[in-house]
Amino acid sequence: MKVIAINGSPRKKWNTATLLENALEGAASEGAETELIHLYDLNFKGCTSCFACKLKDGKSYGKCAMQDDLTPVLERLKDADAVILGSPIYLGNSTGEMRSFMERYVFPYLTYSNSVPSLYPKNIPVGFIYTMGVKEEYMDMFGLRKTIELNEYIAKRLS
């Protein structure tokens, strides 16, 4: 089993990274091969809406056509048996890097068909770890529950 964690925080040793490392340690204790990727170490951009990933029979059908530091990460994720995404909440959402990553990771696999809703190669669990400095009673006021629900919905579309 291979578990890959994606750190969407600019900090490699603070709360989000620490929680991701702990989750990976748990997976490793069960025999999993693990990897932690820090998005802020990579030079990449979000989806450019080129739609090359949507062209049936095209060379990039079902995968992002952009070539940058994120390309090899997206390739490794195809072999993962589980993915853990971690991000602090900035201004009511995941970090910009995490959002850009999610665009590039999820969008190429989505189809405009009910019969085959996803081109993802296999059904895998995707977990989220969020860190934030807001009290629970303010989560609804800031729309954070909706943000979390949206991210969960997006992840479910992969399977």
Side-chain angles (χ1 to χ4, degrees):
M1 174 175 262
K2 178 156 181 91
V3 180
I4 298 178
I6 306 291
N7 181 15
S9 172
R11 300 177 174 134
K12 294 181 185 180
K13 298 291 179 193
W14 285 41
N15 296 333
T16 305
T18 299
L19 291 171
L20 288 169
E21 288 170 357
N22 288 339
L24 290 177
E25 285 174 18
S29 74
E30 295 295 318
E33 177 186 342
T34 65
E35 180 180 4
L36 177 60
I37 296 167
H38 298 282
L39 291 179
Y40 278 79
D41 286 347
L42 306 175
N43 184 13
F44 72 99
K45 295 194 180 319
C47 177
T48 61
S49 194
C50 72
F51 279 85
C53 63
K54 303 297 180 210
L55 297 175
K56 288 185 178 176
D57 301 320
K59 68 177 185 174
S60 292
Y61 183 59
K63 69 177 189 173
C64 184
M66 295 175 65
Q67 299 293 311
D68 56 22
D69 289 356
L70 192 59
T71 304
V73 172
L74 296 173
E75 286 297 316
R76 290 200 303 279
L77 284 166
K78 289 180 187 176
D79 297 326
D81 298 299
V83 175
I84 308 168
L85 306 176
S87 179
I89 299 294
Y90 290 170
L91 297 174
N93 210 324
S94 304
T95 62
E97 270 70 11
M98 179 57 75
R99 296 296 306 163
S100 292
F101 163 78
M102 288 177 67
E103 290 173 0
R104 298 267 306 276
Y105 179 43
V106 177
F107 186 67
Y109 294 114
L110 301 181
T111 67
Y112 299 110
S113 164
N114 289 333
S115 61
V116 181
S118 174
L119 300 172
Y120 205 73
K122 58 186 172 181
N123 189 0
I124 65 166
V126 178
F128 291 90
I129 292 175
Y130 299 103
T131 55
M132 62 188 99
V134 67
K135 293 180 179 179
E136 188 170 356
E137 59 261 25
Y138 295 116
M139 286 188 65
D140 289 327
M141 184 175 79
F142 292 117
L144 296 175
R145 287 188 212 284
K146 288 291 181 194
T147 297
I148 290 168
E149 287 174 13
L150 176 61
N151 287 339
E152 288 175 1
Y153 172 76
I154 290 167
K156 286 179 185 173
R157 291 283 315 267
L158 284 178
S159 56

